[in-house]
Amino acid sequence: MLPHYKAKQVSVNRRRHYEIEGQQLPGVTTVLSATKPWEDKERLWRWRERVGAEEANRITAKASRSGTKIHKVIKAYLRQEDWVLPEGTEGFWASIEPVLKNIDEVLLVEGAVWHPLKFAGYPDALLVYGGQLLVCDWKTARRPKQPEWIEDYFLQVAAYCWAVNWVYREYDIKVERAMVAIALEDASPQLFTLTPDKLDQHWGQFQQRLRQYYRLK
């Protein structure tokens, strides 16, 4: 396991930031949320109109709770700590457990990372899977996702990869791949693996969003 760093979470203009070396840096998800493309916002608005505000709020809240619970279980599992599967998450766990059992090595679980371009965050895990070193982010979903729906997930893990490489540069860590693993409630998981070329592409897109974020401030 690599050294594990923590960063104090603070709110700046109601947005999540982390205190790192005397600076307050926006989280990766903060940057992406604040610069979400119009098409993504419009898709969400259309969905809320279709199902109704009350039902949309219920679905969103339930999904958030399930995601948080599964994240906590996965975190404990990877750290080899005791854990209890919360009621109502059995389907998600059945989906993602085979992936967890196939991990070769765990190097980091939810440790703080940051980058000179002034962003920070907590990647879910740095691990070896299928013989490849990669940053992995765990997600949950009721239904399978199309890649074009989850572009921000890919930008998120790309940013984490560059931050991990910066923070652990003295440990000869060079992450060139990433994986977004989506646990589905009643189906096998979706694994989206990003090759070095794809990761470079998404890193460039994240940098554009980061510049946009700082222009908006």
Side-chain angles (χ1 to χ4, degrees):
M1 294 280 278
L2 292 168
H4 185 275
Y5 302 113
K6 293 184 178 180
K8 182 181 178 182
Q9 183 177 316
V10 295
S11 179
V12 179
N13 296 326
R14 300 176 66 181
R15 291 174 175 168
R16 180 187 299 171
H17 285 61
Y18 297 100
E19 289 190 345
I20 303 284
E21 299 175 341
Q23 300 182 84
Q24 294 181 333
L25 304 180
V28 171
T29 53
T30 296
V31 171
L32 294 174
S33 177
T35 59
K36 191 176 289 292
W38 172 261
E39 307 83 60
D40 292 353
K41 294 179 181 178
E42 191 177 32
R43 189 183 304 121
L44 178 59
W45 292 335
R46 285 201 304 265
W47 172 73
R48 288 183 64 86
E49 286 182 354
R50 188 170 67 250
V51 303
E54 186 175 344
E55 178 65 6
N57 291 339
R58 186 193 68 79
I59 292 172
T60 301
K62 181 182 178 182
S64 178
R65 288 194 300 270
S66 297
T68 299
K69 290 174 182 176
I70 285 296
H71 264 84
K72 287 182 178 178
V73 173
I74 293 174
K75 178 180 177 181
Y77 179 95
L78 295 180
R79 289 182 172 177
Q80 299 183 330
E81 299 171 348
D82 293 335
W83 55 273
V84 176
L85 189 64
E87 185 178 351
T89 61
E90 295 85 358
F92 293 117
W93 180 251
S95 178
I96 204 66
E97 186 181 20
V99 178
L100 302 176
K101 286 185 174 180
N102 280 325
I103 292 172
D104 301 321
E105 183 183 2
V106 178
L107 283 76
L108 183 70
V109 180
E110 292 189 21
V113 295
W114 55 94
H115 193 274
L117 290 181
K118 295 187 177 180
F119 67 87
Y122 274 80
D124 287 341
L126 175 65
L127 45 83
V128 179
Y129 185 86
Q132 301 282 353
L133 177 66
L134 46 80
V135 163
C136 185
D137 207 66
W138 315 109
K139 305 290 185 184
T140 56
R142 293 187 307 145
R143 298 189 181 93
K145 302 290 187 182
Q146 296 296 326
E148 58 269 23
W149 301 347
I150 55 172
E151 280 289 318
D152 275 10
Y153 291 175
F154 303 148
L155 271 59
Q156 181 183 1
V157 291
Y160 287 152
C161 284
W162 260 260
V164 165
N165 288 341
W166 168 259
V167 171
Y168 295 102
R169 60 197 182 281
E170 295 180 1
Y171 291 83
D172 292 327
I173 291 293
K174 185 165 178 58
V175 191
E176 296 181 316
R177 296 175 185 271
M179 181 169 72
V180 175
I182 304 179
L184 298 173
E185 195 166 18
D186 55 3
S188 297
Q190 287 184 286
L191 304 181
F192 295 93
T193 303
L194 302 183
T195 61
D197 285 348
K198 282 290 185 184
L199 206 60
D200 279 345
Q201 178 184 335
H202 292 305
W203 168 239
Q205 292 169 338
F206 176 78
Q207 290 180 82
Q208 291 176 1
R209 298 275 289 274
L210 184 63
R211 288 192 291 269
Q212 181 185 350
Y213 176 83
Y214 276 109
R215 286 197 299 270
L216 290 171
K217 286 188 68 176

